[in-house]
Amino acid sequence: MSETAGDDAALSDLDRVAINAFQGGFPVLERPFEPAAAALRERGIEVTASELLACVRELDEEGTLSRFGALVNAEEIGGSATLVAMHAPEERFDEVAETVNAHREVAHNYEREHPHLNMWFVVSVADEDRVEAVLEEIEAETGQPTYNLPKQQEFRVEAKFLVDGPISEGDVDLSGLGPDVTPTDAQTLSPAERDLVVEIQGGLPISPTPYADVAAAIDQPTSWVVETIKRFEREGKIRRVGVVPNHYALGYTENGMTVWNVPDERVDEVGPAVASLPFVTHCYQRPRHGGVWPYNFFAMTHGRSEAESERRIEQVRERMAEYWDVGDDDWDSLFSTQILKKTGIRLDERATANTE
């Protein structure tokens, strides 16, 4: 059973239903709120399509949701992104952060608790070869070395944040509804597909006909938009369609990045095992950096307090211990202490660079 956030008096029962039920698996149909409401009624939740739509719209307007729509998988759209760590001296921390953040390729930047590597940022580029150049520029400007930690294997990316209330398992999945489409092996986007990606990257309109609204915005038939989004979902270009909660608004204020020095021969076993823990939202294999960074496995957890995060981290350690002898020096947890930048991945640039 998934762990859930504590009660929040500001959320109605219907709010809780919408948040829990549709963090993925929302219908890709011309009028999606009607089958979504019907599925809830089958679960004993009496709600109409218009009531569900109004609920989602209000959650979005209040900031309880980050957005409603498709979660685009940037890696499959084009370009590249990588995680980078560096040391920012305490006396120069703000200066270094300002220099790093000034690079438009830096999408996210966090201060994390670590005795040396206290700044962690994501570099997102349209051209993979540009990563090295950006890091060279940052090193020259700050005088500090950078440590590139590109993803080598992905075991899980599924940040679901559930709340107490109905449908606590968050298991309403209507992704099977929609047109019958055939995935392709195309590595590039058409101009129309690029326009679609750019239009939906920030969310779908919250209306009775969100896909028709997108179609009108990019001057394409509604049927083409529905079929393309459904195909992108099957091809992995879209991870899921649904509500995307603002986890801070739901009380998930602690994010602990746990890092592990997993024996190389155990990574393929450990990865799926740790990824199966419901509170692990991201799980990757990344490279070590000899003498500086001994860890090759990352697992992100979220909690409503540091104590809850610590309990969840201990559960990760227990799962790890089923596969190898975990010593005290074999792992660490790096809590974020400050968001330094969060602008999001520039999908428009990456999609355009990958358009034929």
Side-chain angles (χ1 to χ4, degrees), residues 159-206:
K160 287 191 174 182
F161 300 95
L162 304 178
V163 295
D164 293 332
I167 314 185
S168 59
E169 296 289 340
D171 57 350
V172 177
D173 184 2
L174 303 180
S175 59
L177 299 179
D180 185 16
V181 296
T182 302
T184 73
D185 57 1
Q187 300 300 306
T188 57
L189 302 174
S190 70
E193 290 171 341
R194 174 203 57 210
D195 292 347
L196 176 62
V197 169
V198 172
E199 183 66 26
I200 69 174
Q201 65 174 324
L204 294 170
I206 303 175

Side-chain angles (χ1 to χ4, degrees), residues 48 79 238 243 289:
T48 65
I238 289 175
V243 300
H289 283 271

